[in-house]
Amino acid sequence: MYLLYSFRLALQSLWREKWINLLSVLTIAAGLFMITLTLFVVYNIDLATKRLPARFSVMLYLNDGLSEQETGSIIAQLKKNNAVEQARYIAKDKALEELKGVLKNADYILEGIDENPLPASIEIKLKKESVNIASVKKFAAEIKKIKSIAEVEYGEQFLNSIHSIKGMAKAGSLSLIIIMSAGVIFVCYSTIKIAFYRRKEEIETFKLLGATRGFIRAPFVIEGSVLGMFGGIASMAAALAFYHVLFYKVTATIPILKILVFPFETFPALPIVGLLLGIGGAVIALGRIRFS
Amino acid sequence: MIHFSNVTKFYERQAAIKNITFSVEKGEMIFMTGPSGAGKSTLLKIIYLSEKPDEGSVTIAEWDLSKLKESSIPFLRRNIGVVFQDFRLLDNRNVFDNVAIALRIRGMLDSEIQDWVMEILKMVNLRHKADSFPQALSGGEQQRVVIARAIVGEPTILLADEPTGNLDPDTAAGITRLFKEINARGTTVVIATHNRELYRNTGRRVFRIDSGNIVGEEIG
């Protein structure tokens, strides 16, 4: 019933201290913008690692002199493995041809080599879910047991690096998000605490006239949520400006940045996150209201 | 309506009131008198739950204060109108809003508040000052705003702490008349004062308090 009046009180208070409140909104916006940037970085790292399975392959180098039947039996055996998506046989001649293609103008390196030094091989594409360190290691260990396979190569170090980069990015971003969220809560907490002390006399009178905790708290919680929400809206504007500068200005000089993707779906969440953090800050600032 | 039984209240080991026992009946109007620092304000503070007694028991309108939950305090306070010694008016709100706040706290709608507040302001003869701010009012007018705020919620008990403290005799007489009118409507009224004129020839009970004790009871 008193919510309308609480809104009026909150808006009056916000207007009375408009410059301090504007400063709070901008600080909250800066915090939420940092969270958005963090999510942008993590989102792109995640996308890059998701693209990895399509490019990742395990190479099996075969012993020389295997018959067609023996090679066919190895491929059949590999295809039975649940982790395998595709297995492609590369004959010695084909391997040399591919190498020449890769070397292009530098194919003089191969001049003077009479005999093809490359072994026949099988290139294996694994299923998406199997492209992780544990599964690949297990798979490599299994296929090493197959006779006639000279060597298994799968870029263990590369996989490890990607895994640790992803892990570090996730841990770092989570810490940053927690710190920034705590910062936003603290800004709301301080602003509401100051507003509360400024109106301490008035609140004491309200209590003596029979005001409930809800009546006393409501205007401050509304103030906190408005500060948080406007901080969220301002951070949304900053993120849009960042997107515009990055994708229209910076990519003109550094085209490779075009592969980056901006997580637009996080945008509408910013005012809501701001609002919730604002409410959190206000509730902590008000603490327990005592009547006697 | 109000019952004190062996109530004692200490402030920093000094007893402000000592072992006080008295009762006030429903619809009664009583006075508490005595010098400054006698304990009158402490007694009123205990009634409107601003202070807790250290010893003894207090019952207000069937509510045993020792068993009252903190969350119930606001609802009991809505039954008690208080005319504070220091007025406690909100300087940034006009007379209308100062009175209306007591109803807004009770969750009343603006449409209901408008007429009712104007009715009460008419009763205390301040209708024409509804838009004025407290600083623009005389002491007597401020006192009447506080009385209007105290009675607008139709409390069953009205407490007044030195209601004529700084007022001239004519204004004080007007305030006294107002309390009698409020009492005549069935509200229990407790007035703490050291102004003898306020209770002389009223025919009401007067408790004489000194050094935290009730030292006498007479009819004014």
Side-chain angles (χ1 to χ4, degrees), chain A residues 7-58:
Chain A
F7 263 102
R8 217 188 305 162
L9 279 187
L11 296 180
Q12 278 169 0
S13 171
L14 284 167
W15 182 250
R16 208 177 301 133
E17 299 294 334
K18 47 187 171 296
W19 299 115
I20 291 177
N21 289 328
L22 180 67
L23 200 67
S24 301
V25 166
L26 292 178
T27 316
I28 293 165
L32 291 174
F33 179 59
M34 293 285 284
I35 291 176
T36 313
L37 282 188
T38 310
L39 288 174
F40 168 68
V41 172
V42 176
Y43 186 69
N44 278 282
I45 290 176
D46 203 45
L47 270 187
T49 51
K50 270 182 188 160
R51 285 183 195 134
L52 188 69
R55 291 164 181 261
F56 182 80
S57 56
V58 178

Short mmCIF file of all heavy atoms in Angstrom, two decimals, chain A residues 7-58:
data_model
loop_
_atom_site.label_atom_id
_atom_site.label_comp_id
_atom_site.label_asym_id
_atom_site.label_seq_id
_atom_site.Cartn_x
_atom_site.Cartn_y
_atom_site.Cartn_z
N PHE A 7 8.25 5.05 -3.38
CA PHE A 7 8.84 5.46 -4.66
C PHE A 7 9.06 6.97 -4.68
O PHE A 7 10.10 7.45 -5.11
CB PHE A 7 7.92 5.06 -5.83
CG PHE A 7 8.35 3.77 -6.46
CD1 PHE A 7 7.68 2.59 -6.19
CD2 PHE A 7 9.42 3.74 -7.33
CE1 PHE A 7 8.07 1.39 -6.75
CE2 PHE A 7 9.84 2.54 -7.91
CZ PHE A 7 9.16 1.38 -7.61
N ARG A 8 8.04 7.70 -4.20
CA ARG A 8 8.13 9.16 -4.19
C ARG A 8 9.30 9.61 -3.30
O ARG A 8 10.10 10.45 -3.69
CB ARG A 8 6.80 9.74 -3.67
CG ARG A 8 6.42 11.03 -4.41
CD ARG A 8 5.24 11.71 -3.78
NE ARG A 8 4.07 10.86 -3.65
CZ ARG A 8 3.06 11.13 -2.82
NH1 ARG A 8 3.09 12.20 -2.05
NH2 ARG A 8 2.02 10.32 -2.73
N LEU A 9 9.38 8.99 -2.11
CA LEU A 9 10.48 9.33 -1.19
C LEU A 9 11.84 9.04 -1.82
O LEU A 9 12.77 9.84 -1.72
CB LEU A 9 10.36 8.52 0.11
CG LEU A 9 9.40 8.98 1.18
CD1 LEU A 9 9.58 8.13 2.43
CD2 LEU A 9 9.64 10.44 1.54
N ALA A 10 11.93 7.86 -2.48
CA ALA A 10 13.20 7.46 -3.09
C ALA A 10 13.60 8.43 -4.20
O ALA A 10 14.76 8.86 -4.26
CB ALA A 10 13.07 6.04 -3.65
N LEU A 11 12.65 8.79 -5.04
CA LEU A 11 12.96 9.69 -6.16
C LEU A 11 13.35 11.08 -5.65
O LEU A 11 14.28 11.70 -6.18
CB LEU A 11 11.78 9.77 -7.14
CG LEU A 11 11.46 8.44 -7.84
CD1 LEU A 11 10.29 8.60 -8.80
CD2 LEU A 11 12.67 7.90 -8.61
N GLN A 12 12.65 11.53 -4.59
CA GLN A 12 12.99 12.84 -4.00
C GLN A 12 14.43 12.81 -3.48
O GLN A 12 15.20 13.74 -3.70
CB GLN A 12 12.05 13.16 -2.83
CG GLN A 12 10.72 13.75 -3.27
CD GLN A 12 9.72 13.80 -2.11
OE1 GLN A 12 10.01 13.40 -0.99
NE2 GLN A 12 8.51 14.27 -2.41
N SER A 13 14.77 11.72 -2.79
CA SER A 13 16.11 11.60 -2.21
C SER A 13 17.17 11.52 -3.32
O SER A 13 18.22 12.14 -3.22
CB SER A 13 16.16 10.36 -1.32
OG SER A 13 17.46 10.11 -0.92
N LEU A 14 16.86 10.77 -4.38
CA LEU A 14 17.82 10.64 -5.49
C LEU A 14 18.06 12.00 -6.14
O LEU A 14 19.18 12.35 -6.50
CB LEU A 14 17.28 9.66 -6.54
CG LEU A 14 17.37 8.17 -6.17
CD1 LEU A 14 16.52 7.34 -7.12
CD2 LEU A 14 18.82 7.70 -6.21
N TRP A 15 16.98 12.79 -6.26
CA TRP A 15 17.09 14.09 -6.91
C TRP A 15 17.84 15.09 -6.02
O TRP A 15 18.65 15.87 -6.49
CB TRP A 15 15.69 14.61 -7.27
CG TRP A 15 15.76 15.93 -7.98
CD1 TRP A 15 15.36 17.14 -7.51
CD2 TRP A 15 16.28 16.18 -9.31
NE1 TRP A 15 15.58 18.12 -8.44
CE2 TRP A 15 16.16 17.56 -9.55
CE3 TRP A 15 16.85 15.36 -10.29
CZ2 TRP A 15 16.57 18.15 -10.75
CZ3 TRP A 15 17.26 15.95 -11.48
CH2 TRP A 15 17.12 17.33 -11.69
N ARG A 16 17.57 15.00 -4.69
CA ARG A 16 18.19 15.92 -3.74
C ARG A 16 19.73 15.80 -3.78
O ARG A 16 20.44 16.77 -3.71
CB ARG A 16 17.67 15.63 -2.33
CG ARG A 16 17.68 16.86 -1.42
CD ARG A 16 17.10 16.52 -0.07
NE ARG A 16 15.74 16.02 -0.14
CZ ARG A 16 15.30 14.94 0.51
NH1 ARG A 16 16.10 14.25 1.25
NH2 ARG A 16 14.04 14.57 0.40
N GLU A 17 20.22 14.57 -3.92
CA GLU A 17 21.68 14.34 -3.95
C GLU A 17 22.08 13.89 -5.35
O GLU A 17 22.80 12.90 -5.50
CB GLU A 17 22.05 13.29 -2.90
CG GLU A 17 21.72 13.64 -1.48
CD GLU A 17 22.52 14.82 -0.95
OE1 GLU A 17 23.62 15.06 -1.45
OE2 GLU A 17 22.00 15.53 -0.05
N LYS A 18 21.60 14.60 -6.35
CA LYS A 18 21.76 14.11 -7.73
C LYS A 18 23.22 13.96 -8.17
O LYS A 18 23.54 13.02 -8.89
CB LYS A 18 21.00 14.97 -8.73
CG LYS A 18 21.18 16.45 -8.59
CD LYS A 18 20.24 17.18 -9.53
CE LYS A 18 20.22 18.67 -9.30
NZ LYS A 18 19.70 19.07 -7.96
N TRP A 19 24.12 14.85 -7.72
CA TRP A 19 25.51 14.77 -8.20
C TRP A 19 26.24 13.57 -7.59
O TRP A 19 26.97 12.87 -8.29
CB TRP A 19 26.24 16.09 -7.93
CG TRP A 19 25.57 17.22 -8.66
CD1 TRP A 19 24.95 18.30 -8.12
CD2 TRP A 19 25.40 17.34 -10.09
NE1 TRP A 19 24.40 19.08 -9.11
CE2 TRP A 19 24.67 18.52 -10.33
CE3 TRP A 19 25.79 16.56 -11.18
CZ2 TRP A 19 24.32 18.94 -11.61
CZ3 TRP A 19 25.44 16.99 -12.46
CH2 TRP A 19 24.72 18.17 -12.67
N ILE A 20 26.01 13.36 -6.29
CA ILE A 20 26.64 12.18 -5.64
C ILE A 20 26.10 10.90 -6.30
O ILE A 20 26.83 9.97 -6.59
CB ILE A 20 26.35 12.18 -4.13
CG1 ILE A 20 27.10 13.32 -3.45
CG2 ILE A 20 26.73 10.84 -3.49
CD1 ILE A 20 26.85 13.46 -1.98
N ASN A 21 24.77 10.92 -6.53
CA ASN A 21 24.14 9.73 -7.12
C ASN A 21 24.62 9.49 -8.55
O ASN A 21 24.80 8.35 -8.97
CB ASN A 21 22.63 9.84 -7.07
CG ASN A 21 22.11 9.72 -5.65
OD1 ASN A 21 22.71 9.00 -4.84
ND2 ASN A 21 21.07 10.43 -5.31
N LEU A 22 24.86 10.59 -9.29
CA LEU A 22 25.36 10.45 -10.66
C LEU A 22 26.75 9.81 -10.63
O LEU A 22 27.06 8.91 -11.43
CB LEU A 22 25.41 11.82 -11.34
CG LEU A 22 25.93 11.81 -12.78
CD1 LEU A 22 24.93 11.09 -13.69
CD2 LEU A 22 26.14 13.23 -13.29
N LEU A 23 27.55 10.24 -9.66
CA LEU A 23 28.89 9.68 -9.51
C LEU A 23 28.80 8.17 -9.19
O LEU A 23 29.56 7.37 -9.75
CB LEU A 23 29.62 10.42 -8.37
CG LEU A 23 31.12 10.30 -8.36
CD1 LEU A 23 31.71 11.02 -9.56
CD2 LEU A 23 31.69 10.90 -7.08
N SER A 24 27.85 7.83 -8.33
CA SER A 24 27.66 6.41 -7.99
C SER A 24 27.25 5.62 -9.23
O SER A 24 27.76 4.53 -9.48
CB SER A 24 26.57 6.25 -6.93
OG SER A 24 26.92 6.96 -5.79
N VAL A 25 26.32 6.19 -10.02
CA VAL A 25 25.84 5.50 -11.23
C VAL A 25 27.02 5.26 -12.18
O VAL A 25 27.19 4.15 -12.72
CB VAL A 25 24.73 6.32 -11.93
CG1 VAL A 25 24.47 5.82 -13.35
CG2 VAL A 25 23.44 6.26 -11.12
N LEU A 26 27.87 6.27 -12.35
CA LEU A 26 29.01 6.13 -13.26
C LEU A 26 30.01 5.09 -12.75
O LEU A 26 30.57 4.31 -13.52
CB LEU A 26 29.71 7.48 -13.46
CG LEU A 26 28.87 8.52 -14.22
CD1 LEU A 26 29.62 9.84 -14.31
CD2 LEU A 26 28.50 8.03 -15.61
N THR A 27 30.20 5.06 -11.43
CA THR A 27 31.12 4.06 -10.85
C THR A 27 30.56 2.65 -11.06
O THR A 27 31.28 1.72 -11.41
CB THR A 27 31.34 4.34 -9.34
OG1 THR A 27 31.53 5.73 -9.16
CG2 THR A 27 32.52 3.59 -8.81
N ILE A 28 29.25 2.52 -10.82
CA ILE A 28 28.60 1.21 -11.02
C ILE A 28 28.73 0.82 -12.50
O ILE A 28 29.05 -0.33 -12.83
CB ILE A 28 27.11 1.28 -10.60
CG1 ILE A 28 27.01 1.48 -9.09
CG2 ILE A 28 26.36 0.02 -11.03
CD1 ILE A 28 25.63 1.92 -8.62
N ALA A 29 28.50 1.80 -13.39
CA ALA A 29 28.59 1.53 -14.83
C ALA A 29 29.99 1.05 -15.20
O ALA A 29 30.13 0.10 -15.98
CB ALA A 29 28.24 2.79 -15.61
N ALA A 30 31.01 1.69 -14.62
CA ALA A 30 32.39 1.28 -14.92
C ALA A 30 32.62 -0.17 -14.49
O ALA A 30 33.21 -0.97 -15.23
CB ALA A 30 33.37 2.21 -14.21
N GLY A 31 32.12 -0.52 -13.30
CA GLY A 31 32.27 -1.89 -12.79
C GLY A 31 31.57 -2.90 -13.70
O GLY A 31 32.15 -3.93 -14.07
N LEU A 32 30.34 -2.57 -14.08
CA LEU A 32 29.56 -3.50 -14.93
C LEU A 32 30.18 -3.58 -16.34
O LEU A 32 30.14 -4.64 -16.97
CB LEU A 32 28.10 -3.05 -15.01
CG LEU A 32 27.31 -3.20 -13.70
CD1 LEU A 32 25.92 -2.60 -13.84
CD2 LEU A 32 27.20 -4.66 -13.29
N PHE A 33 30.76 -2.47 -16.81
CA PHE A 33 31.42 -2.48 -18.13
C PHE A 33 32.64 -3.41 -18.10
O PHE A 33 32.87 -4.16 -19.05
CB PHE A 33 31.82 -1.05 -18.51
CG PHE A 33 32.52 -0.96 -19.84
CD1 PHE A 33 31.90 -1.38 -21.00
CD2 PHE A 33 33.81 -0.45 -19.93
CE1 PHE A 33 32.54 -1.32 -22.24
CE2 PHE A 33 34.47 -0.38 -21.16
CZ PHE A 33 33.83 -0.81 -22.31
N MET A 34 33.38 -3.36 -16.99
CA MET A 34 34.53 -4.26 -16.85
C MET A 34 34.07 -5.72 -16.87
O MET A 34 34.72 -6.58 -17.46
CB MET A 34 35.26 -4.00 -15.52
CG MET A 34 35.93 -2.64 -15.45
SD MET A 34 37.41 -2.57 -16.42
CE MET A 34 38.51 -3.48 -15.37
N ILE A 35 32.93 -5.98 -16.23
CA ILE A 35 32.39 -7.35 -16.22
C ILE A 35 32.04 -7.75 -17.66
O ILE A 35 32.33 -8.87 -18.11
CB ILE A 35 31.15 -7.44 -15.30
CG1 ILE A 35 31.59 -7.29 -13.83
CG2 ILE A 35 30.41 -8.76 -15.49
CD1 ILE A 35 30.46 -7.25 -12.83
N THR A 36 31.44 -6.81 -18.43
CA THR A 36 31.07 -7.10 -19.81
C THR A 36 32.32 -7.40 -20.65
O THR A 36 32.31 -8.34 -21.45
CB THR A 36 30.33 -5.87 -20.42
OG1 THR A 36 29.35 -5.43 -19.50
CG2 THR A 36 29.67 -6.22 -21.74
N LEU A 37 33.37 -6.60 -20.45
CA LEU A 37 34.61 -6.83 -21.21
C LEU A 37 35.19 -8.20 -20.87
O LEU A 37 35.66 -8.92 -21.76
CB LEU A 37 35.64 -5.75 -20.87
CG LEU A 37 35.46 -4.39 -21.52
CD1 LEU A 37 36.66 -3.50 -21.25
CD2 LEU A 37 35.24 -4.50 -23.02
N THR A 38 35.15 -8.55 -19.58
CA THR A 38 35.66 -9.86 -19.16
C THR A 38 34.88 -10.98 -19.85
O THR A 38 35.47 -11.93 -20.38
CB THR A 38 35.52 -10.01 -17.62
OG1 THR A 38 36.07 -8.85 -17.03
CG2 THR A 38 36.24 -11.22 -17.11
N LEU A 39 33.55 -10.82 -19.87
CA LEU A 39 32.71 -11.84 -20.51
C LEU A 39 33.02 -11.91 -22.00
O LEU A 39 33.03 -12.99 -22.59
CB LEU A 39 31.22 -11.50 -20.30
CG LEU A 39 30.70 -11.71 -18.88
CD1 LEU A 39 29.28 -11.21 -18.77
CD2 LEU A 39 30.74 -13.19 -18.52
N PHE A 40 33.31 -10.76 -22.62
CA PHE A 40 33.65 -10.69 -24.04
C PHE A 40 34.91 -11.52 -24.32
O PHE A 40 34.95 -12.32 -25.27
CB PHE A 40 33.84 -9.22 -24.43
CG PHE A 40 34.46 -8.98 -25.76
CD1 PHE A 40 33.78 -9.30 -26.93
CD2 PHE A 40 35.73 -8.42 -25.86
CE1 PHE A 40 34.36 -9.07 -28.17
CE2 PHE A 40 36.30 -8.19 -27.10
CZ PHE A 40 35.62 -8.51 -28.25
N VAL A 41 35.93 -11.36 -23.46
CA VAL A 41 37.19 -12.09 -23.64
C VAL A 41 36.95 -13.60 -23.46
O VAL A 41 37.34 -14.42 -24.29
CB VAL A 41 38.27 -11.56 -22.65
CG1 VAL A 41 39.51 -12.43 -22.70
CG2 VAL A 41 38.61 -10.11 -22.98
N VAL A 42 36.26 -13.94 -22.36
CA VAL A 42 36.03 -15.36 -22.06
C VAL A 42 35.19 -16.02 -23.15
O VAL A 42 35.46 -17.14 -23.59
CB VAL A 42 35.31 -15.51 -20.70
CG1 VAL A 42 34.97 -16.95 -20.41
CG2 VAL A 42 36.18 -14.97 -19.60
N TYR A 43 34.18 -15.29 -23.62
CA TYR A 43 33.28 -15.79 -24.67
C TYR A 43 34.08 -16.14 -25.92
O TYR A 43 33.88 -17.20 -26.52
CB TYR A 43 32.25 -14.70 -24.96
CG TYR A 43 31.14 -15.09 -25.92
CD1 TYR A 43 30.17 -16.01 -25.54
CD2 TYR A 43 31.05 -14.52 -27.18
CE1 TYR A 43 29.15 -16.35 -26.39
CE2 TYR A 43 30.03 -14.85 -28.05
CZ TYR A 43 29.08 -15.76 -27.65
OH TYR A 43 28.06 -16.09 -28.51
N ASN A 44 35.02 -15.26 -26.29
CA ASN A 44 35.81 -15.50 -27.51
C ASN A 44 36.82 -16.62 -27.33
O ASN A 44 37.05 -17.38 -28.26
CB ASN A 44 36.47 -14.19 -27.96
CG ASN A 44 35.49 -13.34 -28.74
OD1 ASN A 44 35.24 -13.60 -29.91
ND2 ASN A 44 34.91 -12.36 -28.08
N ILE A 45 37.39 -16.73 -26.13
CA ILE A 45 38.30 -17.86 -25.87
C ILE A 45 37.53 -19.17 -25.95
O ILE A 45 37.97 -20.14 -26.56
CB ILE A 45 39.00 -17.71 -24.49
CG1 ILE A 45 39.99 -16.55 -24.55
CG2 ILE A 45 39.70 -18.99 -24.08
CD1 ILE A 45 40.66 -16.23 -23.23
N ASP A 46 36.33 -19.15 -25.40
CA ASP A 46 35.48 -20.33 -25.41
C ASP A 46 35.12 -20.72 -26.84
O ASP A 46 35.17 -21.91 -27.21
CB ASP A 46 34.23 -20.05 -24.59
CG ASP A 46 33.59 -21.32 -24.08
OD1 ASP A 46 34.36 -22.17 -23.58
OD2 ASP A 46 32.37 -21.47 -24.20
N LEU A 47 34.78 -19.72 -27.65
CA LEU A 47 34.42 -19.98 -29.05
C LEU A 47 35.60 -20.58 -29.80
O LEU A 47 35.44 -21.54 -30.56
CB LEU A 47 34.03 -18.67 -29.74
CG LEU A 47 32.56 -18.25 -29.69
CD1 LEU A 47 32.36 -17.04 -30.57
CD2 LEU A 47 31.65 -19.38 -30.16
N ALA A 48 36.80 -20.01 -29.55
CA ALA A 48 38.00 -20.49 -30.23
C ALA A 48 38.28 -21.94 -29.87
O ALA A 48 38.60 -22.75 -30.74
CB ALA A 48 39.18 -19.61 -29.86
N THR A 49 38.11 -22.28 -28.60
CA THR A 49 38.38 -23.67 -28.19
C THR A 49 37.29 -24.62 -28.69
O THR A 49 37.55 -25.79 -28.90
CB THR A 49 38.51 -23.78 -26.66
OG1 THR A 49 37.36 -23.18 -26.09
CG2 THR A 49 39.75 -23.10 -26.15
N LYS A 50 36.09 -24.07 -28.91
CA LYS A 50 35.02 -24.93 -29.45
C LYS A 50 35.28 -25.26 -30.92
O LYS A 50 34.84 -26.30 -31.41
CB LYS A 50 33.67 -24.22 -29.31
CG LYS A 50 33.00 -24.53 -27.98
CD LYS A 50 31.67 -23.87 -27.87
CE LYS A 50 31.13 -24.03 -26.46
NZ LYS A 50 30.11 -23.05 -26.17
N ARG A 51 35.98 -24.35 -31.60
CA ARG A 51 36.29 -24.58 -33.02
C ARG A 51 37.43 -25.60 -33.17
O ARG A 51 37.66 -26.12 -34.24
CB ARG A 51 36.71 -23.27 -33.68
CG ARG A 51 35.55 -22.34 -33.94
CD ARG A 51 36.03 -21.10 -34.65
NE ARG A 51 35.04 -20.06 -34.60
CZ ARG A 51 35.31 -18.80 -34.29
NH1 ARG A 51 36.53 -18.42 -34.02
NH2 ARG A 51 34.34 -17.91 -34.28
N LEU A 52 38.12 -25.85 -32.07
CA LEU A 52 39.31 -26.70 -32.10
C LEU A 52 39.06 -28.12 -32.62
O LEU A 52 39.82 -28.60 -33.46
CB LEU A 52 39.92 -26.74 -30.69
CG LEU A 52 41.26 -27.42 -30.57
CD1 LEU A 52 42.34 -26.59 -31.25
CD2 LEU A 52 41.61 -27.60 -29.09
N PRO A 53 38.04 -28.84 -32.19
CA PRO A 53 37.84 -30.22 -32.62
C PRO A 53 37.84 -30.39 -34.13
O PRO A 53 38.33 -31.39 -34.65
CB PRO A 53 36.48 -30.58 -32.02
CG PRO A 53 36.36 -29.71 -30.85
CD PRO A 53 37.02 -28.43 -31.24
N ALA A 54 37.30 -29.42 -34.87
CA ALA A 54 37.23 -29.54 -36.33
C ALA A 54 38.64 -29.53 -36.94
O ALA A 54 38.87 -30.14 -37.98
CB ALA A 54 36.41 -28.40 -36.88
N ARG A 55 39.56 -28.83 -36.30
CA ARG A 55 40.91 -28.72 -36.85
C ARG A 55 41.86 -29.77 -36.26
O ARG A 55 42.93 -30.02 -36.82
CB ARG A 55 41.48 -27.33 -36.55
CG ARG A 55 40.77 -26.24 -37.32
CD ARG A 55 41.07 -24.89 -36.72
NE ARG A 55 40.35 -23.85 -37.46
CZ ARG A 55 40.91 -23.10 -38.38
NH1 ARG A 55 42.17 -23.24 -38.69
NH2 ARG A 55 40.21 -22.18 -39.00
N PHE A 56 41.46 -30.35 -35.14
CA PHE A 56 42.37 -31.26 -34.44
C PHE A 56 42.38 -32.65 -35.09
O PHE A 56 41.32 -33.19 -35.44
CB PHE A 56 41.93 -31.37 -32.98
CG PHE A 56 42.80 -32.24 -32.15
CD1 PHE A 56 44.00 -31.76 -31.65
CD2 PHE A 56 42.45 -33.56 -31.90
CE1 PHE A 56 44.82 -32.56 -30.89
CE2 PHE A 56 43.27 -34.38 -31.15
CZ PHE A 56 44.46 -33.87 -30.63
N SER A 57 43.58 -33.22 -35.26
CA SER A 57 43.65 -34.60 -35.77
C SER A 57 44.82 -35.35 -35.12
O SER A 57 45.78 -34.74 -34.65
CB SER A 57 43.80 -34.60 -37.30
OG SER A 57 44.92 -33.86 -37.67
N VAL A 58 44.65 -36.68 -35.10
CA VAL A 58 45.71 -37.55 -34.57
C VAL A 58 46.35 -38.25 -35.78
O VAL A 58 45.63 -38.78 -36.64
CB VAL A 58 45.11 -38.61 -33.60
CG1 VAL A 58 46.19 -39.55 -33.09
CG2 VAL A 58 44.40 -37.92 -32.45
#
